[in-house]
Amino acid sequence: MTSDAILRRTTADTPLGPVLVIASERGLRAVRWDDDAEQPAGDSRSAGTSSDGAAGAAAESVLACTIRQLDEYFEGRRLDFEVPLDDVGTAFQRAAWEVLRTIPYGATLTYGQQAARMGDVRRARAVGGANGRNPIPVITPCHRVIGADGSLTGFASGLDRKHWLLDHEAEVLRALGDTVPEAGDRP
């Protein structure tokens, strides 16, 4: 990532309140609610200007794609996202976020299971820290990671939102006639 990336931002309405969406010409950089506990990486620079040409147009295209897909998700019409990503983080964080993107819609993992998928079950705490810095919640579904006892823990966007997102996914699966996995049975 270069420090001179062109960033565009917009706000989108969701059932959980407005979100700030930030994109570069390479992909989605961040999605966050105003009251998120963590500030996602990569959104501190100012937005580009209209003279940014093709890079600015590419970032605008990513924003439009993201907003459309978020709307579809919240309407229960999208189970998987196909947005190009430009998430910024350490190598460990990016590895943790890659595992998050493999958790199926409506399913959950524990932090220990996520750490095991990364090669070291003892790194569950570090995985939790990486998930807390996830700049792209919902699309990189950190809300699908739960405590070892099945409890809802650690979501920078708030546990109420985490609960809502998991319930929303369960409702959509039920409406589609799919089985909603039970905690602990989930891949």
Side-chain angles (χ1 to χ4, degrees):
M1 180 197 83
T2 62
S3 62
D4 59 349
I6 301 300
L7 298 179
R8 291 285 195 260
R9 58 190 76 220
T10 192
T11 303
D13 290 323
T14 76
L16 300 172
V19 292
L20 176 65
V21 181
I22 302 168
S24 74
E25 68 273 16
R26 289 181 293 279
L28 182 62
R29 185 69 67 91
V31 172
R32 71 175 189 89
W33 284 273
D34 286 340
D35 57 350
D36 279 353
E38 294 286 340
Q39 185 81 352
D43 71 348
S44 60
R45 284 188 290 284
S46 62
T49 65
S50 60
S51 65
D52 296 329
E60 291 289 340
S61 177
V62 172
L63 286 177
C65 177
T66 301
I67 298 302
R68 179 179 48 78
Q69 290 189 27
L70 282 170
D71 287 345
E72 291 168 354
Y73 170 86
F74 285 112
E75 292 167 359
R77 297 184 300 118
R78 175 167 292 277
L79 306 183
D80 297 300
F81 289 93
E82 299 168 358
V83 177
L85 303 179
D86 185 23
D87 46 0
V88 177
T90 67
F92 182 81
Q93 289 169 335
R94 291 172 58 94
W97 303 336
E98 280 298 319
V99 172
L100 293 174
R101 289 190 279 270
T102 69
I103 305 170
Y105 186 95
T108 58
L109 285 181
T110 67
Y111 294 95
Q113 289 169 322
Q114 184 182 1
R117 287 188 181 186
M118 294 174 64
D120 188 351
V121 71
R122 297 169 298 168
R123 304 234 27 216
R125 260 206 163 131
V127 163
N131 291 355
R133 297 290 299 162
N134 171 20
I136 309 173
V138 179
I139 293 169
T140 299
C142 53
H143 64 278
R144 296 180 187 153
V145 181
I146 59 174
D149 63 357
S151 63
L152 300 187
T153 62
F155 188 57
S157 299
L159 290 180
D160 288 345
R161 286 190 180 113
K162 182 173 189 162
H163 190 269
W164 190 97
L165 291 165
L166 291 172
D167 283 351
H168 170 69
E169 292 180 4
E171 282 180 37
V172 169
L173 288 177
R174 276 192 288 275
L176 293 172
D178 289 344
T179 304
V180 178
E182 293 295 322
D185 275 345
R186 301 174 185 188

